Amino acid sequence: MTPREPRPEPGPAAGTVERRRERGSAGARSLLLTVLGEFVLPRGGEVWTGTLVDALGALGVEEKSARQALSRTAAEGLLESVRHGRRVRWNLTEAGDRLLRAGTERIYGFMRRPHAWDGRWLVLTAGVPETQRRLRHRLRTKLTWLGLGSPAPTLWVVPDAAKEAEVREVIRELDLADRAYAWTGSSAEIGDTAKLISAAWDLDDVEKRYVGFIEDFEGRVVASDRAAFVNQVLLIQEWRRFPFLDPDLPAELLDHAWPGPRAAAVFHDLRNRWHRRAQAEWDRMDAGAAARH
């Protein structure tokens, strides 16, 4: 990729905000979770409604959608409200704190450094009938978050036997111990491993997304604290999808240079570069919300 001149904001950030606006309440909730994890969790898990409405407004979310996202997130047990006169302050619940901490660890640790592979796989079979769609969705979401792929119905694989304990916890949490079985070991060299990987993960799509991420963010510069806040949230918002998409395969199973590590370098470099100014903008919005009324 050829070097380019640094791009000032708003540019691509404004286009991304517009896409977020078009997605409505679902996009608002997703942005809310990113904001909660990046700015509220490190500050003790408490925040004024006005701060969140202002923050989401900076990201192109209308006030009605922002308040709906807050209500929905509270209904899911991740937030609880406390009245202070006419104003409302939101606190992360224990479940919300736990979810955001796990997400933060995964997002910032993902693709952070090369890892050696011992040649061992973890294979899981877990059958959930079609009639239990919600359970099937929860199982798929949790296993995908751990990097597992499904090359065939009820079958899940990952070239990382060290994830045995995490997979066991998922099966326990979903009460599927009587319908699941797992084992670990090296490949028996029967069949084509490349075809297995292709069936389990859409790596062509993931690679295109990495390239798009790099092209979108690399070289982007910000001219204000507000721009740093907006761009940092959008940066995290885009990056947090990759742990769901990319199994972070060992180099031995990839046939060419993978763009994931370069995308990770872009992510961490920009996040570190924008962090101080983004946090300053958050503090300004929070002070403004606290002073109102």
Side-chain angles (χ1 to χ4, degrees):
M1 192 175 297
T2 58
R4 298 173 301 152
E5 290 294 323
R7 289 197 311 249
E9 54 82 32
T16 309
V17 169
E18 185 63 30
R19 291 195 296 272
R20 294 282 174 256
R21 182 186 289 112
E22 293 171 356
R23 291 181 185 178
S25 60
R29 179 185 173 278
S30 180
L31 284 168
L32 173 61
L33 290 176
T34 297
V35 168
L36 290 173
E38 185 69 9
F39 299 96
V40 178
L41 180 66
R43 289 171 170 79
E46 299 182 1
V47 61
W48 295 109
T49 299
T51 309
L52 291 173
V53 170
D54 289 349
L56 292 176
L59 294 159
V61 177
E62 296 180 354
E63 181 174 347
K64 180 180 178 181
S65 295
R67 292 183 181 276
Q68 288 174 342
L70 270 169
S71 297
R72 180 181 172 189
T73 305
E76 293 172 349
L78 304 180
L79 287 171
E80 58 186 6
S81 61
V82 179
R83 284 212 161 268
H84 293 260
R86 295 172 56 191
R87 294 182 297 168
V88 172
R89 193 162 176 82
W90 294 91
N91 297 335
L92 290 173
T93 63
E94 182 178 341
D97 183 275
R98 184 168 58 249
L99 175 71
L100 292 177
R101 288 187 187 280
T104 298
E105 180 180 350
R106 180 84 166 110
I107 290 167
Y108 284 106
F110 180 69
M111 200 69 64
R112 191 59 168 153
R113 59 185 62 86
H115 51 87
W117 186 43
D118 61 5
R120 300 171 69 225
W121 291 72
L122 184 151
V123 181
L124 168 74
T125 61
V128 179
E130 283 281 356
T131 53
Q132 295 181 282
R133 291 184 179 179
R134 185 169 182 273
L135 181 59
R136 285 167 63 92
H137 175 72
R138 291 180 65 197
L139 177 65
R140 175 171 291 276
T141 299
K142 289 179 177 294
L143 293 180
T144 301
W145 180 247
L146 292 179
L148 278 74
S150 181
T154 76
L155 181 66
W156 293 85
V157 299
V158 65
D160 188 352
K163 292 187 176 176
E164 177 183 343
E166 293 172 285
V167 171
R168 183 186 299 112
E169 177 58 24
V170 169
I171 298 302
R172 185 204 63 77
E173 181 182 341
L174 300 182
D175 195 23
L176 291 173
D178 61 339
R179 303 188 225 174
Y181 185 80
W183 59 97
T184 62
S186 58
S187 169
E189 298 185 0
I190 298 174
D192 188 335
T193 300
K195 288 183 178 179
L196 172 72
I197 291 172
S198 178
W201 299 281
D202 188 352
L203 295 186
D204 288 341
D205 178 67
V206 178
E207 185 166 22
K208 291 176 183 177
R209 288 172 181 262
Y210 274 134
V211 172
F213 177 88
I214 294 168
E215 292 177 344
D216 192 16
F217 285 101
E218 189 176 46
R220 188 182 294 189
V221 297
V222 300
S224 66
D225 290 356
R226 172 60 64 99
F229 170 80
V230 169
N231 279 277
Q232 181 167 313
V233 172
L234 297 178
L235 177 78
I236 297 167
Q237 183 77 356
E238 293 301 318
W239 179 254
R240 64 188 282 232
R241 292 174 168 79
F242 287 109
F244 275 110
L245 300 170
D246 184 2
D248 191 12
L249 296 176
E252 292 88 339
L253 296 176
L254 296 169
D255 60 3
H256 64 283
W258 188 241
R262 182 180 173 191
V266 170
F267 168 74
H268 288 287
D269 176 63
L270 291 179
R271 193 265 180 180
N272 292 338
R273 190 182 306 173
W274 296 337
H275 178 74
R276 181 185 58 79
R277 299 180 75 179
Q279 296 293 328
E281 177 65 12
W282 174 266
D283 289 337
R284 187 197 64 77
M285 289 187 289
D286 193 47
R292 288 199 290 267
H293 306 292

